[in-house]
Amino acid sequence: MPKRSPLKNKRILVGVTGSVAAYKAVELVRRLKDEEADVRVIMTSASLNFITPLSLELASGTKPFTGLWEEPLAHVNLASWAELFIIAPATANTIGKLANGTADDLLSACFLAWHGSTLIVPAMNSGMYSHQAFRKNLDYLKSIGITEITPESGVLACGTEGIGRMAGIEKIIDAARNLVTPKDFLGQTVLVTAGPTREPLDPVRFISNRSSGKMGFALARAAAARGAKVILVSGPTSLTPPPGIEKIIKVETAGQMKKAVMHEAASSLLLIMAAAPADYTPDEFSPEKIAKSKRYDLKLKATYDILLEVLKLKRRPFTVGFAAETGPLFENALQKLRKKDLDLIIFNDVTKEGAGFDCGTNQVSIIGRDAGREDVPIMEKEDLAHLILDRILALGNWS
Ligand code: CTP
């Protein structure tokens, strides 16, 4: 399924400088084209020692610019054309020029004419990377709002080991996506819950459910990319915490999830309850492993309904719930919205293909307080997360 990339149709200028990592720029440009970005390339004369313009022409679909005098106004025209400038790999020499306002080649002149978002991706020997003279230049660029994607450690072209290898392409793509994503949740505290809970029976057994946490993690990631201070309360999952979130609170049981949510909810502006906390927990916990017998009657007691608890707060966040149903039971979702006094509820029929647990896609309907329903087509959870945030913002009364 094609992803809705924030880089789609974005005009991106890629500057390539004279590092042995210059060949990696071909892959970077290719990946940007996969994301359907419009890419133009500037190559410094030093980069021509490592890579031919033809490789980058084939990857980008346009002839790279290689000199200041080829087209007299190229530096100004490219600067006004671009929406994002990525310099990868960036040598110590180029970084020095950019930091000092030197404009003696197309890349550095264009940088001076440019005043938008810039990513620099250094690649050099570790001694050069840690040299005070270089650090001063790099720190200055960062102080004026330029984003550095730090190099990785490993064996370098000079044969030594240390920091200096150009960051991975996917890291650069992620940072580029992040930079072009509108920061429409800037500074807002967003509390997201994700995943299942585990209710222990004894030290080795527990009751849980099939939630994977993917939808909640996608929401946390999307909100963080849009500038929110995200607090993620997560039950046990196998997922890696999304980049850029403020904090992750890992919990095990529904009781622990309730405690974490109540602690954070009052100071959050938005709560998205994407988790599937257990509705029941064993009546008793056996500190020893329960021995096998012919029959075992499991006694359960109800857990707290976390959203009903949140309802009791004096100052409540704008609250969004999820309703996982096994059929087109929209009425159930609406009843949950009313009972829990939610601002929005996201209905999903987990029996539908591509909408169930543990898959990368979801198909939902978004239901509002007025019972209005938007049936959203099947899409990647990452894309759906952004769409849900768009709808929350559109309601306009949540802050
Ligand atoms: N929820 C909650 N606390 C619980 C159980 C669920 O806050 N102990 C939240 C879920 O995170 C979700 C919403 O309530 O946002 C609806 O959850 P769902 O499991 O669909 O419904 P329940 O209210 O648990 O009702 P039922 O299990 O009968 O469908």
Side-chain angles (χ1 to χ4, degrees):
M1 176 159 313
K3 268 193 162 183
R4 186 186 74 159
S5 170
L7 296 171
K8 185 172 177 170
N9 297 332
K10 283 280 175 293
R11 297 184 299 275
I12 302 177
L13 190 56
V14 176
V16 183
T17 74
S19 153
V20 70
Y23 74 94
K24 295 183 183 170
V26 178
E27 182 58 17
L28 172 64
V29 169
R30 215 172 264 146
R31 281 291 292 110
L32 291 168
K33 294 296 285 183
D34 286 349
E35 304 273 313
E36 297 179 66
D38 190 356
V39 184
R40 295 197 188 164
V41 180
I42 299 178
M43 299 176 74
T44 63
S45 55
S47 75
L48 300 174
N49 294 312
F50 295 96
I51 179 177
T52 66
L54 187 61
S55 314
L56 284 162
E57 180 177 344
L58 289 172
S60 68
T62 54
K63 244 185 174 25
F65 294 79
T66 51
L68 192 53
W69 309 111
E70 269 165 32
E71 242 184 66
L73 283 176
H75 61 300
V76 178
N77 293 339
L78 286 171
S80 58
W81 169 84
E83 292 172 278
L84 175 66
F85 199 171
I86 305 177
I87 303 169
T91 56
N93 183 49
T94 292
I95 287 169
K97 283 196 209 180
L98 305 186
N100 289 287
T102 306
D104 65 350
D105 62 9
L106 182 60
L107 197 152
S108 55
C110 189
F111 177 75
L112 273 194
W114 161 251
H115 290 272
S117 303
T118 313
L119 278 178
I120 45 172
V121 194
M124 66 197 70
N125 159 273
S126 49
M128 294 167 82
Y129 186 71
S130 61
H131 197 284
Q132 274 178 324
F134 170 74
R135 301 302 313 172
K136 185 175 133 255
N137 291 333
L138 182 65
D139 289 347
Y140 176 68
L141 290 177
K142 293 206 287 196
S143 78
I144 60 168
I146 285 158
T147 307
E148 178 204 7
I149 309 189
T150 47
E152 289 167 3
S153 293
V155 180
L156 305 173
C158 53
T160 56
E161 238 185 289
I163 189 164
R165 290 165 67 103
M166 184 173 123
I169 303 298
E170 289 313 311
K171 212 165 160 192
I172 306 171
I173 295 286
D174 259 3
R177 281 186 176 155
N178 214 1
L179 268 186
V180 301
T181 301
K183 300 292 175 266
D184 46 10
F185 277 83
L186 192 66
Q188 315 285 17
T189 305
V190 173
L191 177 58
V192 181
T193 66
T197 61
R198 285 180 182 170
E199 309 301 320
L201 272 166
D202 67 19
V204 293
R205 303 182 179 98
F206 55 79
I207 302 170
S208 191
N209 59 61
R210 294 182 55 200
S211 167
S212 64
K214 283 185 181 160
M215 194 64 237
F217 273 57
L219 282 156
R221 187 186 175 93
R226 291 165 75 153
K229 278 168 67 181
V230 176
I231 297 159
L232 175 61
V233 176
S234 175
T237 74
S238 56
L239 307 171
T240 7
I245 65 168
E246 185 86 354
K247 75 173 160 186
I248 177 161
I249 305 169
K250 293 188 178 172
V251 298
E252 189 92 12
T253 64
Q256 290 166 359
M257 186 172 277
K258 177 204 152 214
K259 209 168 146 202
V261 169
M262 297 312 284
H263 188 255
E264 302 292 342
S267 54
S268 299
L269 222 47
L270 170 62
L271 164 64
I272 309 180
M273 263 315 275
D279 289 328
Y280 296 97
T281 192
D283 219 356
E284 270 178 24
F285 171 74
S286 162
E288 273 125 45
K289 186 180 170 201
I290 301 162
K292 187 159 57 185
S293 58
K294 270 227 158 115
R295 194 187 151 88
Y296 177 67
D297 292 320
L298 181 58
K299 275 200 178 157
L300 301 171
K301 61 184 178 201
T303 56
Y304 281 102
D305 187 305
I306 302 173
L307 284 173
L308 285 179
E309 295 302 302
V310 169
L311 196 55
K312 294 179 191 161
L313 289 174
K314 257 205 209 123
R315 206 205 133 275
R316 258 197 322 147
F318 184 99
T319 305
V320 179
F322 274 72
E325 306 292 345
T326 47
L329 306 168
F330 301 106
E331 196 48 41
N332 282 7
L334 191 59
Q335 271 170 23
K336 285 176 192 175
L337 176 143
R338 299 242 157 90
K339 185 172 147 210
K340 304 185 190 204
D341 195 23
L342 304 175
D343 295 289
L344 270 185
I345 194 153
I346 317 296
F347 163 91
N348 77 314
D349 176 355
V350 294
T351 61
K352 270 198 171 172
E353 202 178 316
F357 299 107
D358 210 18
C359 65
T361 57
N362 205 351
Q363 184 173 12
V364 306
S365 297
I366 302 177
I367 303 173
R369 281 182 181 277
D370 59 358
R373 192 177 101 204
E374 178 187 3
D375 295 330
V376 182
I378 184 166
M379 62 174 75
E380 298 281 341
K381 284 180 175 168
E382 294 283 334
D383 295 340
L384 179 61
H386 278 286
L387 187 138
I388 291 170
L389 293 177
D390 290 346
R391 298 300 179 266
I392 291 169
L393 270 187
L395 280 173
N397 58 350
W398 63 282
S399 59

